[in-house]
């Protein structure tokens, strides 16, 4: 997958890489870009009886802050709040355990293959 285009297009590419990686590791996609209130969660996935809310972060190699480090406490709080709204609006999700994962995608500046770092239960 070429890594180019607008920031929004690159974000979609990173989300697609993350989705594929997580599905290869046994998770099932429930929703993509799930919105509730003013927030959005990149991927909502499931493994057995666990809902997994996934925040995808992408950065180029050599960036001042790595993809994983770019997740602020404020963003974590917003993801938690959005997840709470989503769960309360879906009866099937209300008795499920919830987990918050981060998938950090690091893209080489030379156009090589992106590195994917999956951080389960990250926050």
């Amino acid at each position: 997958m070429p890594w180019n285009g607008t920031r929004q297009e690159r974000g979609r590419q990173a989300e697609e890489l993350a989705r594929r990686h997580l599905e290869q590791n046994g998770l099932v996609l429930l929703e993509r870009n799930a919105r509730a209130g003013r927030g959005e969660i990149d991927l909502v996935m499931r493994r057995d009886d666990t809902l997994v809310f996934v925040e995808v972060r992408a950065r180029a190699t050599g960036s001042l802050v790595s993809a994983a480090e770019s997740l602020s406490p404020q963003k974590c709080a917003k993801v938690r709040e959005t997840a709470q709204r989503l769960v309360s609006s879906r009866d099937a999700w209300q008795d499920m355990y919830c987990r918050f994962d981060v998938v950090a995608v690091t893209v080489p500046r030379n156009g090589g293959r992106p590195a994917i770092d999956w951080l389960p239960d990250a926050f």
Side-chain angles (χ1 to χ4, degrees):
M1 169 183 301
W3 195 263
N4 52 32
T6 67
R7 181 177 180 196
Q8 189 175 25
E9 290 167 339
R10 290 189 308 267
R12 280 194 295 268
Q13 291 172 348
E15 288 174 11
E16 180 61 17
L17 287 171
R19 180 196 61 80
R20 286 184 199 165
H21 182 79
L22 295 172
E23 286 181 339
Q24 289 170 354
N25 283 279
L27 280 74
V28 176
L29 179 68
L30 299 178
E31 291 189 31
R32 183 184 287 235
N33 304 117
R35 298 186 74 67
R38 298 176 313 160
E40 177 182 88
I41 296 178
D42 297 325
L43 303 169
V44 180
M45 304 193 81
R46 180 178 184 164
R47 175 179 266 164
D48 302 321
D49 62 348
T50 301
L51 276 175
V52 182
F53 297 97
V54 182
E55 176 65 18
V56 179
R57 308 300 285 185
R59 292 290 184 273
T61 54
S63 296
L64 292 176
V65 177
S66 72
E69 293 169 331
S70 71
L71 189 61
S72 70
Q74 294 83 4
K75 179 62 175 178
C76 292
K78 190 167 191 172
V79 169
R80 282 191 204 101
E81 177 186 328
T82 303
Q84 186 175 29
R85 289 174 188 259
L86 286 168
V87 169
S88 68
S89 70
R90 289 160 175 81
D91 291 337
W93 293 3
Q94 293 193 6
D95 292 327
M96 296 179 73
Y97 175 77
C98 296
R99 186 178 86 197
F100 298 91
D101 291 6
V102 172
V103 175
V105 178
T106 304
V107 183
R109 291 189 188 273
N110 66 4
R113 184 181 192 131
I116 300 171
D117 190 16
W118 175 24
L119 307 166
D121 208 7
F123 61 94

